[in-house]
Amino acid sequence: MNEAQFNHPEAVTRGWYWLCRSDEIRRGRVKALRLLGRDLAVYRGEDGRVHALDAYCAHMGAHLAEGRVEGNSLRCFFHHWRYTAEGRCDDIPCLAATPPPGARVRRWPVAEKHGLVWLWTGAEAAHEVPEAPELAGQDCRMLLVSRFRKNCHPNVVLINAIDEQHFRSVHRLPGEILSMQPLPRDQANIEFHNTGKLPRSHWLGRLLGRFYKDALTYRLSYWYGSCGFVTLGPDFLHCHILFALRRGDDGETEGQTIALTRRRKGLSGWIADKLILWTTAAIGWYFANGDTRVFQTIRFNLRTPIGADRAVLAFIRHYEQQPLAEWNDEADDARPRRHMRGVSGKSA
Ligand code: FES
Ligand SMILES: [Fe+2]
């Protein structure tokens, strides 16, 4: 297959991408971070809100994470230009007048959710950070499980969870127990629901039949090809796992697993929440670490799709029609210039 965006080493689609854990950005502190090939200065203002600016100062290109947080603004270390959270320079100490219009750096919309800081790769976020479908709008408790790396593109990591065939071959699930039905929700979101049959002739099917009315609950909600919620578990208790993924500089996947549950009341609720989160974390860990070997060496190329690859093909098609982000267009602004332009009078 020949895709323009799917599994592409540089394409960045518009959406929310995880940047770091919330507790890594302390109030009044700034941190240098890199996301999808772009350098950023990420800081938490005195009001507790996180902001992300392109890293290099509009004056001479100093990295703004060398500077310091002042109120809700960021002051460059070098000549003390001050930038607002919108990326506009509003103070140059040796200049009494207003700073020139070009004195600005790009700011990116940022939000905190599920224990992480997220960045939207466009001018204005089109919607909120995604939630697990069954937990939308609810007060939740979460547990940051683990960070992981895979030697392949995040799109390919997501493929794994909807790859029906490998559940039979690698994980030895019997018969037609998994059959993933693609359900596109909107341009950025697609769900996959299991509609398979519990094989009553198999001991595992009979055992699972006690806990599931119909099909085994196994649902996925994918966003932007980089973020996936998994819902699974018996009818009386669903577990929710978030896999937040992004592409690293070498084209590999940097992932973070998070267990989520609805917040229950009282001490017994707190204990129940903890038990559910730990159980979910164990499942999430198994998911994130299963099949690891194949992801160290795979060169994903679905050259010979068959009927059982239906969900995989649906995801690839879905991802292909997502809008690209305004991310790489201005990548130069986020990198230091190697040479000064125009100083010698010659064109650069
Ligand atoms: S390089 Fe930032 S103020 Fe000069
Ligand atoms: Fe697997």
Side-chain angles (χ1 to χ4, degrees), residues 288-303:
N289 290 283
D291 316 331
T292 293
R293 216 177 64 202
V294 83
F295 287 112
Q296 298 308 328
T297 50
I298 192 168
R299 287 198 186 174
F300 186 90
N301 183 5
L302 184 50
R303 275 191 298 171

Side-chain angles (χ1 to χ4, degrees), residues 18 25 27 30 33 43 143 171 211 217-218 242 254-255 262 269 293 295 300 315-316 320 328 334 341:
W18 78 281
I25 310 289
R27 192 184 291 253
V30 58
L33 291 172
Y43 69 97
L143 176 66
H171 303 287
F211 304 101
T217 303
Y218 180 59
L242 162 60
E254 297 169 348
R262 160 177 76 79
R293 216 177 64 202
F295 287 112
F300 186 90
F315 175 60
I316 295 174
E320 281 295 299
N328 293 332
R341 284 201 273 188

